Amino acid sequence: MKNYDLVIVGSGPAGLQAAIHAARRKLRTLVLGKLEASALFRAHMENYFGLSGKVSGEELLRTGLEQALRFGAEHRPEDVVALEMDPEGFRVKLEGGEEIRAGALILALGVSRRKKKIKGEDPLVGKGVSYCVDCDGFFFRGEPVAVVGEGSAAVHGALTLSKIASEVHLVAEDLRVSEALRRELKASPVIWHRARAEEVLGEESVTGLRLSTGEVLSVKGVFFEEGAKGALELATALGVALDPENMRYIQVDRRQATNVPGVFAAGDVTGPPFQVAKAVGEGCVAALAAADWLAEKKRAAGA
């Protein structure tokens, strides 16, 4: 198992800025995540300090990653599917199945932005429509279900449900996952439909899912699992507290520290305003705070 001083989950502006500062502090640093998963990737910037004109978000992210690598950080374009406590810090499980160990964590995953909901979805939330396999999968033991999504969260959700449900359908026009995860899916009983989900069927409860091909899947549950594993799912599994007002963001102090020692958060996941300037500043603070925390922990261990 590889060991890192600091693992940064998320490679948007907050995560990359954190990686730059952590690497310059000589921490063995790994930043995880796909650049294209950042909300900035397909956007443009012109209201950020030092820009003389409009710049593409993709260009900013790629430049930021080059800086982080130049200073000594490592990057892997993989999603994280689980975070756990470890006697020496934390364990980070990657979408390909590998586990790595981290002395400290920075959560910089951004916030989930759902695509437009499909017909029939809203009325059946809680009546067969769910957004969390880990939360609700058990309620569909022995029943046929569908999972909608193209990322690692959807594939892992489908694989988890294949051990619980009678039949599992994965609905995705394409898959944005590692080759290892593709192989695991192919070897499983999950049925992959290369299509879009267009309508959830049912009145009192879910009875089916209509696809863009015209096919109707007879299922009792539909799980929408888009993108990577959600930041809040990963955080709450560690016991990280959310903001008490609306429970949608990770609660941090002025050093970007959460209530769990060694876990820091930065960027959109800590709440609005959703601006690159805020994300970059918080990434800087989180990295410096994590470096100080690790140094203090090392001093205490040697005392």
Side-chain angles (χ1 to χ4, degrees):
M1 187 182 299
K2 287 189 176 180
N3 291 276
Y4 292 89
D5 297 318
L6 177 66
V7 169
I8 300 164
V9 186
S11 55
L16 293 175
Q17 187 68 56
I20 289 168
H21 280 275
R24 285 181 65 86
R25 288 286 292 265
K26 304 303 181 185
L27 298 182
R28 189 177 183 199
T29 302
L30 174 66
V31 58
L32 296 166
K34 304 173 177 72
L35 294 187
E36 59 269 25
S38 171
L40 179 61
F41 190 82
R42 291 172 180 82
H44 288 81
M45 287 284 297
E46 57 182 349
N47 64 337
Y48 185 72
F49 173 79
L51 297 184
S52 59
K54 186 181 290 186
V55 177
S56 76
E58 179 180 355
E59 181 182 347
L60 281 176
L61 290 170
R62 294 199 185 283
T63 300
L65 177 58
E66 289 171 7
Q67 284 179 281
L69 297 178
R70 188 166 68 248
F71 291 132
E74 296 178 38
H75 173 244
R76 293 179 62 171
E78 288 194 64
D79 292 335
V80 173
V81 297
L83 296 173
E84 298 175 359
M85 295 287 193
D86 183 273
E88 297 181 30
F90 305 92
R91 286 194 181 209
V92 182
K93 185 174 181 180
L94 306 183
E95 62 178 292
E98 184 182 351
E99 289 191 1
I100 57 179
R101 183 176 285 121
L105 295 172
I106 294 178
L107 304 178
L109 278 156
V111 292
S112 177
R113 291 175 172 86
R114 272 295 314 277
K115 296 177 182 177
K116 184 179 179 181
K117 291 186 177 182
I118 66 173
K119 186 177 179 181
E121 179 182 342
D122 262 347
L124 292 167
V125 172
K127 300 175 183 178
V129 168
S130 173
Y131 302 97
C132 180
V133 166
D134 293 337
C135 309
D136 299 330
F138 180 80
F139 298 116
F140 295 88
R141 184 173 295 278
E143 302 282 6
V145 298
V147 180
V148 179
E150 299 181 339
S152 59
V155 175
H156 270 277
L159 292 172
T160 297
L161 287 166
S162 70
K163 301 176 179 65
I164 300 171
S166 62
E167 189 174 73
V168 180
H169 302 269
L170 175 62
V171 180
E173 288 188 293
D174 195 10
L175 290 178
R176 295 175 283 104
V177 299
S178 67
E179 285 303 316
L181 201 50
R182 280 178 179 266
R183 289 193 295 270
E184 190 175 351
L185 176 66
K186 188 175 181 180
S188 77
V190 174
I191 304 164
W192 178 18
H193 300 265
R194 292 170 174 82
R196 296 185 310 278
E198 293 205 334
E199 182 180 4
V200 182
L201 305 175
E203 294 184 6
E204 297 302 317
S205 62
V206 170
T207 59
L209 180 67
R210 189 187 309 279
L211 307 185
S212 57
T213 57
E215 182 180 4
V216 174
L217 305 178
S218 180
V219 295
K220 298 292 187 181
V222 179
F223 292 83
F224 291 91
E225 290 274 4
E226 296 182 358
K229 197 72 159 183
L232 301 189
E233 289 179 82
L234 293 172
T236 53
L238 289 174
V240 170
L242 305 183
D243 69 294
E245 188 172 331
N246 53 34
M247 303 297 285
R248 293 176 58 196
Y249 307 111
I250 294 176
Q251 189 171 28
V252 293
D253 62 18
R254 288 182 60 84
R255 299 176 68 251
Q256 304 303 130
T258 71
N259 61 303
V260 177
V263 180
F264 302 80
D268 288 0
V269 75
T270 67
F274 302 127
Q275 297 289 325
V276 172
K278 169 184 174 288
V280 166
E282 289 187 350
C284 166
V285 173
L288 297 178
D292 290 343
W293 183 84
L294 286 166
E296 181 57 36
K297 184 179 178 183
K298 186 176 181 179
R299 282 194 295 270

